[in-house]
Amino acid sequence: MSLRWILVTAGGIIAGRVLVNALARRRAGRNRSKDMGRFTVRQVRVDGRTMQARVSVDAVPDDRLPVILVHGLGMSSRYMIPLARHLAPHVKVYAPDLPGFGLSEKPCRTLTVRELADALATWMHAVGVERAAFVGNSLGCEVLVELALLHPQLVERLVLQGPTPDPVARGLVRQVVGFLAIAPFERWSLAWVAITDYARGGIGRYILTLRSMVDNRIAEKVRRVTQPTLVVWGTRDYIVPHAFVASLAGSLPHGRLVVIPGAAHGINYSHPEAFTAVLLPFLSGGAEEARCTEPNPGG
C-alpha cells in the first residue's frame, strides 16, 4: 500500500468527518432557531413622538405575565434580541426602543432617566400592557428603578442586569475605561450593533444621557423598591464591580443576586441561554426561587 494512497484515504476520511460535523452543527442551529421566538415591529405615538418596539407573536398561556426588556445606554431593542428570542416561547415579550434611541423618534432635548421612565409608562398604556415583569441592562436598570418608584402599579417584578454606575466610579472617564475593558469578552457581532445604534442616537445624546446616569443615585433609590428584584452580574463585567452589585442586592427589600461565570456586561446578548435559565424560575415564581450564587474563590 503506497504512502500516497494512505494519505489520500486519511485526508478523505478527515474531510468527510469535518463535513458531517459541519452539517450536524448547521442542523442543530436550525433546530435551535425553530425553538426560539418570532417577532413583529409595532409603532405607537407617545407624548407626540413615535416609539418603536419588537413584540413577540408566539402563543403563550394567558396567565403568564408579559416581560418588557429595556436596553442599555446608546443601544436599542436590537441589543435585546438574543434574550428576547429565548424568552418568547415562554412569555409574551416586548422590547421597546427608548425615546432618542434605535428607531424611536428623537426628541430635540435629551431625556433624563426620570423622563425615560415616564415615557416607558406612557408607552405601556399605549400598547395596552397594564402590569409586567421587566428586565433591564445598564441604563435600563436605572430607568426601571425609577419606573418602580414613580409607577409601582405597572411593575410586578424587576431584573437588573449590570446595573450602573458604581458610586465609586461615577466619573465619565472611569465608565469609558470600563467599557473598553469588557470589549474582548463580548460577542464580536455586538460591535456592529453598538456602532450602528450609537450612530443613530448621536454622540451628544449619548454623553448627556450618560451624565444623567452618573447623577442618578440608584444605590440610594433601590432601598425604596418593594417589588421582588433579581440582580444579575457577570464575572467579567469590569464596568460594574462585584462589591457594588452585592451591596445593591443587599439594599433591596426583596432582592437577590445571581452571578453568571464568564459573562461580561452584555449578558442579554452574549449569554442569552444562561440568562434565560436564571430568569424563568424568577419570572414564574417568587424572589425566593432565585438563589444567591457567588463566584467560587477556588476557581
Side-chain angles (χ1 to χ4, degrees), residues 40-239:
T40 187
V41 173
R42 289 181 60 182
Q43 292 184 336
V44 296
R45 299 291 289 177
V46 176
D47 295 331
R49 296 183 295 266
T50 300
M51 274 186 68
Q52 176 169 295
R54 287 177 164 85
V55 182
S56 63
V57 297
D58 296 297
V60 296
D62 293 335
D63 60 345
R64 294 186 182 176
L65 201 68
V67 177
I68 298 175
L69 309 181
V70 183
H71 60 79
L73 176 62
M75 306 298 281
S76 72
S77 59
R78 291 196 308 157
Y79 177 46
M80 310 303 288
I81 288 175
L83 176 62
R85 294 188 68 199
H86 281 78
L87 286 174
H90 309 281
V91 293
K92 183 77 172 180
V93 179
Y94 297 82
D97 292 348
L98 293 173
F101 302 100
L103 295 178
S104 287
E105 199 168 328
K106 312 306 186 270
C108 297
R109 180 180 57 82
T110 300
L111 302 186
T112 64
V113 170
R114 178 167 186 162
E115 289 170 327
L116 290 172
D118 286 335
L120 184 59
T122 306
W123 170 82
M124 287 180 65
H125 292 307
V127 298
V129 178
E130 296 180 356
R131 193 169 176 86
F134 294 83
V135 180
N137 166 266
S138 195
L139 165 67
C141 298
E142 300 207 19
V143 173
L144 293 185
V145 167
E146 203 74 17
L147 182 74
L149 296 178
L150 297 174
H151 308 278
Q153 74 282 1
L154 301 178
V155 182
E156 177 68 26
R157 58 189 60 228
L158 293 172
V159 178
L160 308 178
Q161 188 266 298
T164 54
D166 170 23
V168 179
R170 283 190 179 277
L172 296 178
V173 174
R174 290 283 296 274
Q175 293 295 309
V176 172
V177 169
F179 177 81
L180 295 175
I182 64 168
F185 304 108
E186 301 284 9
R187 283 173 56 187
W188 287 107
S189 57
L190 178 57
W192 176 247
V193 175
I195 290 170
T196 53
D197 278 349
Y198 291 167
R200 285 194 180 110
I203 188 63
R205 191 178 306 276
Y206 181 98
I207 292 173
L208 291 175
T209 307
L210 179 57
R211 284 179 178 167
S212 180
M213 286 175 60
V214 168
D215 293 337
N216 189 48
R217 305 286 174 172
I218 185 173
E220 299 169 9
K221 292 181 177 181
V222 295
R223 300 177 188 275
R224 295 183 281 120
V225 173
T226 58
Q227 294 88 342
T229 304
L230 189 67
V231 180
V232 182
W233 180 77
T235 55
R236 286 178 168 170
D237 188 347
Y238 302 125
I239 293 179

